[in-house]
Amino acid sequence: MTAQNPTQVFLPARKVWERYGVTSMTLHRWLKDANNNFPKPTYLGRFRYWRLADLEAWERDHSARNLAA
């Protein structure tokens, strides 16, 4: 079994909702909030996908900001 390169792993919107326990509306709000810096999706047709590496970087940044507050 080979390990996947995290920069090449993409999650569909539903998996992103599940990862953070949010609804699609919350995800929409995160994308519109410039202060949140949530990663922008890649569109394939009408479907949205996020790079796992971008989500993990956002998680690190987001938790670091919460700890500093």
Side-chain angles (χ1 to χ4, degrees), residues 13-58:
R14 180 165 303 283
K15 293 292 183 187
V16 175
W17 306 337
E18 292 170 0
R19 183 179 184 96
Y20 300 112
V22 299
T23 64
S24 78
M25 182 50 82
T26 298
L27 195 57
H28 174 75
R29 289 181 186 126
W30 287 358
L31 288 165
K32 295 296 180 190
D33 182 358
N35 294 326
N36 196 8
N37 294 324
F38 194 75
K40 302 295 184 221
T42 297
Y43 285 86
L44 296 175
R46 64 185 180 97
F47 299 103
R48 297 177 297 174
Y49 296 87
W50 280 262
R51 275 183 0 133
L52 180 57
D54 292 344
L55 293 172
E56 290 172 341
W58 178 81

Side-chain angles (χ1 to χ4, degrees), residues 60-69:
R60 285 189 301 273
D61 180 55
H62 195 70
S63 66
R65 278 193 277 154
N66 285 341
L67 290 175

